[in-house]
Amino acid sequence: MIRELKTLVAVAREGTFAAAAQKIGLTQAAVSAQIARLESELGLELFDRTGRSAHLNSVGYQTLQQAQELIRLYNNLGSPAPETLAPQRVSLGAIASVQRMLLPGALARFHQQWPNLRSRVLPGLSMELLDQVDAGEIDLAVIIHPAFALQSDLKWRPLANEPYRLLVPKRAPQEDWRELLASQPFIRYDRASFGGRQVDRFLRRMHFTPRELCELDELEAIGKLVANGVGVAIVPETVGHKAWPAGVRALDLGEHTFYRDIGLVHHSSRSPNEPVMILAGLLEAQAGKAAAG
């Protein structure tokens, strides 16, 4: 059965029977046969099948976790037994601003409640982290909501709604944000990120073609560039925001204000375990506390 369990892990990791077959050097028919044999021996249906596609159901996801542990134990047969079992780990992806503002408080409370568990935080852009959640590589992620609809098996839990502001040097002569955006060099929020794409859509909708000087993703660095008089920038006022960098003014976009939606995403079909759901709840509570000031 170890061979079938390894095939199950490969299918979950690669996403399809065909991709798993190519990865482990079998035909697709052989992979399908091994999965069918495993389901027959366990007396369980591990996949929801629609046409030619198959996705792990909640029982399949639980079985996958158990299979990974069995494979680990099998691979360690003959090795000196550890004094204790390897601690369970919760993996969380988070964009940079969330790591600074929300994670420290939420993780501190999480490890107070679960002192024997480990956590791992992976940085990245929202699209990258969304893909990792979808592939089952991480348990959950805190990201910017994309402009497109999420897959039906992904669950979204909103955390914060962040307004965009125009950052200008404190000594900027005009107060009208339109004039400043049209006349000053522009520091662009990276278009590879969901947030940067929002800025790009705003500029096109408002028919602005700013004099672009540089493009980067790190919001703190953008603020410091504005403070140093390099140019102006449109960035979100992040949840828990306390103050802009010295030398910077933030101008309201008035009726044209748009927002960046921050939230948690995880699989809805994989029955996340209790620690994962506890951490999600703590992040929600931390976001509510930060928003309240």
Side-chain angles (χ1 to χ4, degrees):
M1 183 178 287
I2 287 294
R3 181 176 58 180
E4 285 77 9
L5 293 178
K6 288 182 177 180
T7 299
L8 173 65
V9 172
V11 171
R13 182 181 298 117
E14 300 303 321
T16 66
F17 285 19
Q22 185 174 8
K23 185 72 174 181
I24 61 180
L26 296 175
T27 64
Q28 183 174 343
V31 167
S32 298
Q34 287 190 15
I35 295 299
R37 186 160 55 248
L38 178 62
E39 289 179 316
S40 176
E41 291 182 5
L42 295 176
L44 301 170
E45 289 190 3
L46 305 178
F47 291 85
D48 290 329
R49 293 173 170 84
T50 305
R52 294 186 177 182
S53 64
H55 302 280
L56 279 174
N57 56 31
S58 58
V59 173
Y61 183 64
Q62 293 171 358
T63 304
L64 171 66
Q65 294 177 309
Q66 294 167 332
Q68 290 170 324
E69 179 62 15
L70 285 171
I71 292 169
R72 185 189 68 80
L73 293 172
Y74 177 81
N75 291 336
N76 288 335
L77 285 176
S79 302
E83 295 182 2
T84 59
L85 290 175
Q88 186 177 352
R89 184 175 71 182
V90 174
S91 55
L92 167 71
I95 58 175
S97 62
V98 167
Q99 291 192 50
R100 289 194 303 271
M101 304 304 300
L102 297 183
L103 274 189
L107 281 178
R109 293 184 61 191
F110 176 76
H111 286 295
Q112 288 169 1
Q113 294 185 32
W114 299 84
N116 295 324
L117 264 65
R118 296 168 53 202
S119 63
R120 184 187 181 197
V121 179
L122 290 85
L125 298 177
S126 294
M127 189 69 226
E128 298 168 349
L129 299 175
L130 180 62
D131 287 343
Q132 290 180 59
V133 172
D134 187 38
E137 296 171 1
I138 56 178
D139 296 309
L140 69 164
V142 188
I143 63 172
I144 306 165
H145 196 291
F148 53 83
L150 295 176
Q151 299 94 310
S152 60
D153 59 345
L154 294 180
K155 181 176 178 59
W156 175 262
R157 298 169 65 166
L159 295 180
N161 192 238
E162 302 175 340
Y164 280 81
R165 311 293 189 205
L166 178 69
L167 297 192
V168 302
K170 188 163 286 187
R171 297 180 181 179
Q174 301 105 330
E175 288 292 333
D176 187 278
W177 64 267
R178 296 172 182 82
E179 293 181 10
L180 287 164
L181 189 54
S183 63
Q184 299 298 308
F186 186 62
I187 303 165
R188 184 183 281 276
Y189 183 10
D190 187 5
R191 280 166 288 199
S193 70
F194 288 159
R197 294 178 196 176
Q198 286 183 281
V199 173
D200 189 58
R201 286 193 294 272
F202 169 78
L203 293 172
R204 287 188 278 110
R205 185 172 67 250
M206 298 297 294
H207 304 291
F208 277 109
T209 306
R211 183 158 50 96
E212 189 173 322
L213 196 64
C214 62
E215 182 173 357
L216 65 162
D217 177 63
E218 176 51 55
L219 298 179
E220 186 174 341
I222 292 174
K224 289 181 178 179
L225 286 172
V226 174
N228 286 321
V230 175
V232 301
I234 299 177
V235 297
E237 185 174 322
T238 57
V239 61
H241 170 83
K242 300 299 182 184
W244 298 105
V248 166
R249 285 188 295 131
L251 302 184
D252 196 297
L253 300 177
E255 63 180 341
H256 299 291
T257 299
F258 58 108
Y259 297 83
R260 185 175 83 158
D261 294 324
I262 302 296
L264 276 165
V265 63
H266 62 79
H267 265 279
S268 60
S269 60
R270 292 183 177 174
S271 299
N273 57 37
E274 184 181 4
V276 171
M277 290 296 94
I278 290 292
L279 180 55
L282 290 172
L283 284 163
E284 288 179 319
Q286 190 69 25
K289 181 179 177 181

